[in-house]
Amino acid sequence: MLGSDATQDTFTSSWTWTAVVGLATLAITTYFSIDQVRKSQRTKQAKRFQPDYELLNETVVLLDKLASTAAQRADLAKLCELLSRIKQAERRFPELPLGTVVAQIDAYRKTTLPDDFRRKLSTKRILLDDLLDLSRQQGAAIAGALAAIGTAQNEIDRRTN
């Protein structure tokens, strides 16, 4: 009888370890399967966001160029094109904070100097203080647009990493 109990204990112990190993294997396999699905979803989302992320990068480069000059309406052709593309991205991904980027760029466009400001300045039809004020507003609007773009890119990074 004693031998039978020892065999029973060995069998139960062996079965318990087999069950534990099986359960651990199942848990690990499930974890890695779920992790693989998450990575796949992030990769798909990153591919969807990539063109818009690059569009925002292109906009940053242009805004940096415009920051070094007092912009006139004629200087904004490329920015208007980029703005149109950002608005399209906003419609595609309303959950991203692209509306703020659009609003900030629109605010910048409203601060452009008149195309003939040099002639108006020389004929005293426009005040220098008004031009300086517009130039300061341009700087503030560019800073706001760059901050909004940074926020949008950070949100894309958060969703894809």
Side-chain angles (χ1 to χ4, degrees), residues 19-74:
V20 166
V21 169
L23 242 117
T25 302
L26 178 64
I28 290 170
T29 304
T30 302
Y31 171 77
F32 284 116
S33 295
I34 291 171
D35 189 51
Q36 198 63 24
V37 168
R38 284 184 189 145
K39 286 180 182 177
S40 174
Q41 288 173 341
R42 282 191 208 121
T43 301
K44 286 177 186 175
Q45 197 166 25
K47 285 180 183 177
R48 285 180 43 222
F49 287 144
Q50 186 63 33
D52 299 320
Y53 196 91
E54 290 173 4
L55 169 63
L56 294 172
N57 279 341
E58 189 177 346
T59 306
V60 166
V61 170
L62 181 61
L63 287 172
D64 284 342
K65 285 180 186 177
L66 290 171
S68 65
T69 182
Q72 299 174 12
R73 284 185 184 86

